Amino acid sequence: MRILGIESSCDETAAAVVRDGRDILSSVVASQVDVHRKYGGVVPELASREHLRQIVPVVREALEQAGVSVRELDAIAVTHGPGLVGSLLVGITYGKALALSAGKPLVPVNHLEGHVHAVLLEAHHAGREPEFPAVCLIVSGGHTLLYEVSAMALEAGNGAQPAWKFSYRRLGGTRDDAAGEAYDKVGKLLALGYPGGPVMDALAAYGNPAAVRFTPPVTKGNALDFSFSGIKTAVLRHVRAHPEWQEEIVRREQALARGERSAEQLRPLCSPATLDLIASFQQSVVNDLVHRALAGAEACGAKAILVSGGVAANSQLRKTFEGAARGGCPVFFPSRALSTDNAAMIAAAAYSHFLAGVRAGTELDAEASLPLA
Ligand code: KG4
Ligand code: ZN
């Protein structure tokens, strides 16, 4: 069974063809990062416009790379939330039109469920499948969420690969900023470019993570909730307390304006104190994410921890989770390509829904805050 996935919930226009919910035949992603960089964050109007420009060529390329025509598809899957409404509508409208004109079923997919499936896709490729129940930590620029994931075997019939029926229980989520958003805001504050995460991850290796102490956030009422606005404000206070840093911040801004954005280019423009601050920020965010995910895993007797979303690419997050996993629960990460937004995860998540007969009609609409349940 071949499903075409379409994803346009934020700032990546993506399409992919996945066979039987597990074999990626193609995965094409057009990133808009260059469009949004100068604003230091995603500008919704510009994102919709870019999706409109990219959707047709991206879908065409995904079909071509997979060597599949629209006629040969079994279904078309599209993200209908959560995300930016104007962005979601581009993928939804295109998916609807394609499904209607080709007479194919349309399967609606929750973007967050896609992130869970990004990990499962990778685990399958590595020949190492997680056991359930699992907890899944979704950490990106838009989300920081912790779910319990349960799975029940589902018969595919017609000789197709068996699938799982998944169910989700929300254990916690951020009360303010997402973890990636905190990276991006601190990156902007320190003139480290956009997005801040990858560069700060690389620069953190050169600083002392114990140099600056940040108070771990307390989330009263639910210890599995997250909060990152406090640390962002603490970094801001720290920078204000050091007016002598303005000079190096201006030097980095000038370098960024010249297009010098890599960690190698920015490192010589960072004082040891700045590198210490970056390392301390990262240590604090990573420890907080790992600590709450482990607490969630323990609370629900999880047999695996799945970590997904753009921040899952963070080297220290991976190292810390892998260290913690040696004593207990195995941890699963997607590859770099599958950790950020993509459509292979959408087509993979659609598979069990498709088998269960879930279909969307022409009334399918974008849902900015669609919950995963
Ligand atoms: O999943 P994603 O591509 O987009 C959404 O936000 O949905 O995630 C992008 C986010 C950005 O905030 C970026 O700074 C962060 O992921 N990120 C990282 C790393 N790579 C990307 N954060 C920390 N360390 C990284 N290596
Ligand atoms: Zn995402």
Side-chain angles (χ1 to χ4, degrees), residues 7 9-10 111-112 115 138 140-143 309-310 339-342 345:
E7 156 65 37
S9 65
C10 189
H111 179 79
L112 300 170
H115 276 301
I138 302 173
S140 70
H143 307 283
S339 52
T340 51
D341 288 350
N342 64 86
M345 69 185 196

Side-chain angles (χ1 to χ4, degrees), residues 92 96 100 106 108 359-365:
I92 293 173
K96 271 190 216 174
L100 203 64
L106 183 67
R359 303 288 183 266
T362 46
E363 73 292 343
L364 182 69
D365 206 352

Side-chain angles (χ1 to χ4, degrees), residues 12 115 140-142 180-181 183-184 195-198 201 309-311 313-314 336 339-341:
E12 263 103 21
H115 276 301
S140 70
E181 192 180 356
Y183 265 99
D184 295 341
D201 185 8
V311 184
N314 186 270
R336 181 80 185 82
S339 52
T340 51
D341 288 350

Side-chain angles (χ1 to χ4, degrees), residues 195-219:
V199 167
M200 290 170 69
D201 185 8
L203 293 176
Y206 300 95
N208 171 11
V212 186
R213 286 237 160 269
F214 294 108
T215 317
V218 178
T219 50

Side-chain angles (χ1 to χ4, degrees), residues 254-326:
Q254 289 165 344
L256 291 171
R258 291 193 299 271
E260 296 165 14
R261 288 190 290 267
S262 72
E264 295 73 36
Q265 287 166 319
L266 293 171
R267 185 161 73 93
L269 304 176
C270 293
S271 62
T274 295
L275 294 170
D276 285 350
L277 178 63
I278 295 167
S280 303
F281 166 80
Q282 171 149 296
Q283 165 114 321
S284 179
V285 170
V286 164
N287 283 353
D288 193 66
L289 290 171
V290 173
H291 170 79
R292 288 178 214 256
L294 291 178
E298 198 178 321
C300 44
K303 296 188 179 123
I305 297 175
L306 319 176
V307 188
S308 192
V311 184
N314 186 270
S315 54
Q316 197 184 338
L317 186 73
R318 287 180 178 243
K319 239 183 273 157
T320 312
F321 261 125
E322 276 153 13
R326 277 194 278 278

